Amino acid sequence: MGALIETWTRVVCRHRYVPGGAVRVRALLADALHRMVTALTATQFDAKLGYRVGFELVTSGVTAPQAFGGTVTLLSQQLIPQLGIGHPEAHTRLAALLGHLVIGFTEASRNVVQAGAEAISRAERASWREEQTLLNRRLQHAALHDRLTGLPNQSQLRTKVAELLDGTGRLGVCLVNLDRFTSVNDSLGRDTGDQLLRAWARRLRLLADRNGFFLAHLGGDEFAVVVEDTTGPDDMVKVVDLVLRTVHEPFGFGGHLLSVTASAGVVERDTGQHPVELLQAAHITLGWAKSSSRGGWTAFDTERHAASLEQHALTAAMPRALHRGEFTLAYQPLIRLADRRLVGVEALARWHSREHGPVSPDRFIPLAEHTGLMGPLGRYLLERACEQAGVWRRRGHPEFVMSVNLSVAQLGFDGLAATVAAILERTGLPACQLQLEVTETALANGVDGELDALRAIAMQGVRLAIDDFGTGYSCLASLADLPVQVVKLAPGFLVGIGESGASHSNDVILPALVKLTHDLGLTVIAEGVETARQVRVLADLNCDLGQGFYLGRPRANRHISRMLGNVGNGGTRQP
Ligand code: C2E
Ligand code: CA
Ligand code: CA
């Protein structure tokens, strides 16, 4: 179980700074894992435990969607084999647990997000009040100081900040921790880690005493420096510089010198704010500092915070949106340039969110890719597209091409080829009517397994197109080794072509590209066709197909049905 906990901890801590660091996370995950294993083998199975675990992860500060995606992947693949769980229903139970975990995580995330300002503080205010009474009851040293360094702890920090915020002046908080402290613990042992923390605490205390700062040790390798009566954010620049200087000199133990760096997050505020919000802002800022360069610091930025809250909100809304059928497809015509006939469409994902309104695929696709939702979303969209192509097929268009985008994230998924085959089987669409678009970058960076999956798909008779060709670095000749039959030229190649006046480099590049692609036996589609002139030039170059606003915008299925009419194959003539 130890090894699995370690891997899980790494997965969770890799993406974003988590309050309390790896030590706290490890304890949290160990407890969660223990409960899940008990549930998997219990006589009475209760899947709702998964919900609680998902919920607890978020409330304990594990909010990065990637950490969550990684958690689901890790547990689904490794929990049963690694722990040798032999219960006959283990796999079904695990699936149910993880299903509830997704819901728990999503709901808790939504709470966190809606909080932006409000909900968190309300919940926390309540616990804050409880904590205050508790503290008053047992004003003992142990409750107020860190055991390792003897410095004031988190509770004292909260009380201190609350007092100052009740007053009249401004204040600043600098939260600091060591970079890669876990690796010090792992490679040199916990004792050395503790010694390092004590030595650093002594330096920080000296600094605080000299300057009249309040210093607290929040556990792990995290310290807070509070500065009273600041006059504005600039005051904290000097403070954070002093704080980070405390690690400039290496630390010496037993004849060895240990060099470390630290990162800091800084918040400077007026009074009148709630202490929970202020400390939360400091934590968020430290997280930003950690995710950019190590050994540096970052100041709180309201706009950045709002943007990340919104991203979080979208991410949290996605699984539900998928469930509710909020994702749909728009279809953009693919026009054969020789006779201007509609011969196929590209399916483009659309999301009209009940809460957020229309969200562009350029925003939600990357989010889905980062959170592990691209697998289910991609499968859903592919299935809808194939169903639609099946409908048009039955209405007399048996050669109409349905071109669907395949994300890099889907490529990495085991069993992609089998999924494609199953969808074709279920929807009754012949493989030759399906085309899958993979970006040039995905192909160029594809590892063997991913390219094998594409080869297996191509073997079924599905056509593969390389999307946005010309935006990456692959060379045309290398396409010969891949199972690609179609090249979609990026819109950039159409800029300036055929325009009178100064000649454009595309006047030379585009004909050469079309010719080379044809020489390799591939079909060319020009993307981003916006003018009649571009259509003429492309037709003169024998470019096979065109796609773009001039030839037809992405539209709902009924518009395409209307364009197709009920005539036989070959499509209808376009502008
Ligand atoms: P893409 O695959 O290159 O899709 C073409 C994009 O260019 C579409 O934007 C389309 O509306 C737009 N476009 C088409 N003709 C013109 C034109 O003449 N001028 C201009 N300026 N734009 C044109 P959209 O629908 O916003 O999609 C953006 C990107 O999101 C897509 O780029 C694709 O990378 C991704 N995407 C969309 N749907 C899916 C999907 O179902 N799965 C995956 N994996 N990615 C998708
Ligand atoms: Ca595409
Ligand atoms: Ca494209």
Side-chain angles (χ1 to χ4, degrees):
M1 194 173 293
L4 188 56
I5 294 170
E6 284 312 312
T7 320
W8 194 5
T9 308
R10 272 199 302 281
V11 165
V12 164
C13 294
R14 186 162 49 212
H15 299 286
R16 189 181 294 173
Y17 157 77
V18 180
V23 179
R24 201 177 130 262
V25 170
R26 193 178 290 111
L28 176 80
L29 301 184
D31 174 57
L33 190 63
H34 179 75
R35 282 151 62 206
M36 288 175 75
V37 170
T38 314
L40 285 177
T41 48
T43 356
Q44 284 282 7
F45 172 64
D46 180 10
K48 287 198 205 74
L49 170 73
Y51 179 92
R52 289 192 290 276
V53 169
F55 207 93
E56 282 163 21
L57 284 177
V58 177
T59 50
S60 310
V62 180
T63 52
Q66 298 95 324
F68 167 66
T71 291
V72 175
T73 312
L74 176 78
L75 295 184
S76 62
Q77 292 175 352
Q78 297 191 15
L79 195 154
I80 293 179
Q82 273 215 22
L83 304 186
I85 294 177
H87 192 281
E89 284 173 15
H91 285 280
T92 332
R93 287 181 169 195
L94 181 62
L97 274 181
L98 292 178
H100 279 81
L101 192 125
V102 172
I103 302 172
F105 182 89
T106 310
E107 289 196 357
S109 298
R110 197 179 52 226
N111 291 349
V112 168
V113 169
Q114 283 169 347
E118 259 289 302
I120 303 181
S121 47
R122 216 181 307 121
E124 292 231 43
R125 266 177 204 147
S127 77
W128 172 272
R129 256 178 258 119
E130 262 169 42
E131 225 178 278
Q132 291 296 310
T133 5
L134 203 75
L135 272 182
N136 292 340
R137 246 183 262 140
R138 44 184 187 113
L139 261 179
Q140 297 154 1
H141 186 271
L144 293 170
H145 294 83
D146 182 84
R147 254 184 297 158
L148 184 69
T149 56
L151 287 171
N153 64 8
Q154 173 116 348
S155 301
Q156 277 210 64
L157 173 70
R158 287 178 160 207
T159 315
K160 178 77 182 178
V161 170
E163 263 170 36
L164 293 177
L165 288 172
D166 267 347
T168 50
R170 299 179 67 93
L171 85 156
V173 175
C174 165
L175 222 57
V176 60
N177 73 12
L178 293 178
D179 301 326
R180 302 186 196 89
F181 178 61
T182 327
S183 64
V184 171
N185 266 339
D186 289 349
S187 55
L188 304 174
R190 291 270 164 99
D191 285 347
T192 310
D194 285 353
Q195 281 189 54
L196 171 63
L197 290 180
R198 275 196 288 261
W200 187 31
R202 280 195 293 276
R203 292 186 189 177
L204 286 168
R205 177 178 265 167
L206 209 64
L207 170 77
D209 288 350
R210 267 194 206 137
N211 294 280
F213 303 152
F214 175 84
L215 174 68
H217 184 184
L218 310 187
D221 60 333
E222 196 164 298
F223 294 84
V225 173
V226 181
V227 184
E228 296 179 39
D229 294 327
T230 48
T231 55
D234 286 352
D235 284 6
M236 288 308 286
V237 176
K238 287 176 221 131
V239 175
V240 73
D241 184 52
L242 290 173
V243 169
L244 291 180
R245 268 169 202 265
T246 57
V247 294
H248 281 186
E249 289 286 313
F251 292 86
F253 318 102
H256 294 292
L257 281 183
L258 187 59
S259 293
V260 290
T261 57
S263 302
V266 174
V267 182
E268 200 274 345
R269 289 287 168 83
D270 229 333
T271 54
Q273 209 189 1
H274 196 274
V276 167
E277 279 154 20
L278 182 100
L279 292 177
Q280 204 173 34
H283 274 293
I284 290 168
T285 315
L286 177 56
W288 293 342
K290 299 293 265 190
S291 60
S292 54
S293 65
R294 306 257 156 172
W297 62 276
T298 306
F300 187 76
D301 172 344
T302 321
E303 275 175 31
R304 180 172 175 182
H305 184 47
S308 69
L309 278 179
E310 194 184 331
Q311 261 213 353
H312 205 112
L314 286 181
T315 310
M318 263 198 267
R320 217 168 346 119
L322 181 59
H323 190 69
R324 284 187 196 152
E326 285 176 8
F327 290 97
T328 55
L329 286 169
Y331 300 92
Q332 186 173 29
L334 297 173
I335 303 293
R336 186 160 61 206
L337 294 169
D339 56 7
R340 302 282 182 89
R341 281 185 187 277
L342 171 66
V343 292
V345 284
E346 174 176 1
L348 293 160
R350 296 291 177 258
W351 180 17
H352 200 104
S353 159
R354 206 183 280 178
E355 293 92 5
H356 305 276
V359 187
S360 145
D362 286 326
R363 289 194 70 197
F364 68 78
I365 297 282
L367 286 180
E369 285 172 341
H370 280 118
T371 55
L373 197 75
M374 199 59 227
L377 176 61
R379 211 159 37 238
Y380 175 83
L381 294 171
L382 178 64
E383 191 150 12
R384 295 293 83 74
C386 290
E387 274 167 5
Q388 181 60 63
V391 170
W392 286 324
R393 176 185 174 77
R394 287 189 292 281
R395 289 195 196 150
H397 305 281
E399 280 167 25
F400 198 65
V401 173
M402 177 58 76
S403 196
V404 181
N405 291 285
L406 207 59
S407 136
V408 204
Q410 286 169 276
L411 280 184
F413 162 72
D414 279 349
L416 176 66
T419 305
V420 172
I423 289 178
L424 289 175
E425 163 94 38
R426 206 190 63 67
T427 55
L429 189 72
C432 61
Q433 273 190 266
L434 178 64
Q435 170 170 298
L436 292 175
E437 301 189 6
V438 186
T439 61
E440 182 187 7
T441 342
L443 276 185
N445 302 335
V447 288
D448 278 350
E450 295 174 0
L451 297 180
D452 284 348
L454 287 177
R455 288 193 185 97
I457 290 172
M459 290 286 282
Q460 296 171 29
V462 174
R463 207 171 323 172
L464 291 183
I466 182 159
D467 200 1
D468 300 335
F469 186 83
T471 54
Y473 297 99
S474 54
C475 78
L476 265 177
S478 71
L479 293 183
D481 302 331
L482 294 165
V484 169
Q485 286 123 304
V486 180
V487 171
K488 296 190 78 176
L489 297 180
F493 292 114
L494 299 190
V495 174
I497 58 154
E499 280 176 16
S500 49
S503 68
H504 193 281
S505 55
N506 279 339
D507 290 332
V508 181
I509 297 174
L510 184 71
L513 264 181
V514 174
K515 180 172 179 325
L516 252 169
T517 319
H518 280 158
D519 288 349
L520 288 165
L522 307 175
T523 301
V524 194
I525 304 181
E527 273 196 272
V529 180
E530 293 184 342
T531 65
R533 192 186 286 146
Q534 288 170 339
V535 175
R536 274 197 304 277
V537 173
L538 288 165
D540 287 347
L541 291 174
N542 288 328
C543 176
D544 305 281
L545 306 182
Q547 175 185 0
F549 291 168
Y550 178 76
L551 296 168
R553 293 194 171 244
R555 308 291 293 270
N557 54 359
R558 60 178 186 283
H559 292 280
I560 305 294
S561 299
R562 209 170 298 145
M563 286 166 83
L564 281 170
N566 278 327
V567 294
N569 74 54
T572 48
R573 217 177 134 76
Q574 299 307 309

